[in-house]
Amino acid sequence: MKIALMMEFSQAPKNPVVLKQLQDVAATQGHEVFNVGMDGENDHRLTYIHLGICAALMLNSGAADFVVSGCGTGQGALMSLNAWPGVYCGYCIEPTDAFLFAQVNNGNALAIPYAKGYGWGAEINIGYIFEKAFGGERGQGYPAERRESQVANAGILASVKQGASKDLVAGLQAIDPELVKQAVGGARFQKAFFDNARDEKLRAYVSSVLGK
């Protein structure tokens, strides 16, 4: 699995700690991690609004299979990511949230609150979150006897979102172009995207935004 980590400006100083926890878990499970958000206060500036755009492009292009996002409360990132087609983001405070989201909802993104409740032992909690989010087979249901209805409902939600959503490029073209330009302007995002994106339409769109 290819996992993209993205953090906005308010929580950027915590990126090295979060990244290490994610990399440690990913290494034991055979996943690849891309750090495409901010890794410090002086990095290419992103808000949670930009994170939604980045996540939509990474997931819909196939450049990433899963996105770990977050902001101070996690709520802004949650709303921003879920605004876009093809993104199914859950809110995660502790490991049980990650486990249930993986088994019941089987989405492709998490929004984590990196300021609310972030204190002594926070890095341990985040590490356990990642263990539960990415360990084992997803979509197995919980409790097990409810798996059939849970899988069915996840599929129904996907079809509802697809029906209610614009084409991704059309949606991006309908918003302020400066938002998109800022979102895709980071060097690490561009490398992860262009090295891994399989959707030629999205590759061409991002190239046009960057003037390439």
Side-chain angles (χ1 to χ4, degrees):
M1 181 185 292
K2 299 190 293 290
I3 305 169
L5 173 65
M6 51 186 70
M7 297 171 69
E8 55 130 57
F9 74 99
S10 73
Q11 304 305 307
K14 296 169 184 169
N15 177 262
V17 174
V18 177
L19 177 62
K20 183 181 185 306
Q21 295 298 319
L22 182 55
Q23 288 175 328
D24 287 349
V25 170
T28 66
Q29 298 175 356
H31 305 310
E32 186 176 5
V33 175
F34 306 126
N35 189 29
V36 303
M38 295 183 68
D39 68 355
E41 291 179 311
N42 297 320
D43 197 6
H44 181 78
R45 189 177 188 277
L46 300 171
T47 68
Y48 65 76
I49 298 169
H50 299 120
L51 298 188
I53 297 169
C54 292
L57 287 167
M58 292 293 289
L59 291 169
N60 283 280
S61 70
D65 303 304
F66 200 98
V67 165
V68 175
S69 72
C71 56
T73 66
Q75 302 286 8
L78 177 73
M79 292 187 291
S80 179
L81 268 68
N82 277 326
W84 294 100
V87 184
Y88 302 88
C89 185
Y91 187 65
C92 187
I93 300 176
E94 47 88 23
T96 306
D97 296 330
F99 172 80
L100 292 173
F101 180 68
Q103 298 307 323
V104 176
N105 308 108
N106 197 14
N108 57 10
L110 287 179
I112 299 174
Y114 292 117
K116 181 177 179 291
Y118 191 98
W120 190 74
E123 77 282 1
I124 299 172
N125 183 60
I126 288 173
Y128 288 151
I129 284 174
F130 294 149
E131 286 183 8
K132 294 301 183 183
F134 304 118
E137 189 174 355
R138 302 171 59 82
Q140 295 304 294
Y142 186 86
E145 61 268 20
R146 295 185 183 173
R147 180 178 187 273
E148 185 176 350
S149 66
Q150 290 168 353
V151 170
N153 286 332
I156 292 169
L157 177 61
S159 67
V160 169
K161 183 157 188 169
Q162 184 177 10
S165 298
K166 288 184 179 181
D167 170 78
L168 178 56
V169 171
L172 291 166
Q173 290 172 334
I175 66 174
D176 183 350
E178 290 302 314
L179 285 173
V180 182
K181 188 174 182 180
Q182 183 70 14
V184 302
R188 282 178 288 100
F189 171 84
Q190 291 176 31
K191 177 169 177 50
F193 179 82
F194 286 114
D195 283 357
N196 296 279
R198 300 188 300 270
D199 188 295
E200 293 303 323
K201 181 179 179 181
L202 291 177
R203 290 177 66 91
Y205 171 74
V206 175
S207 293
S208 70
V209 170
L210 295 170
K212 294 184 177 182

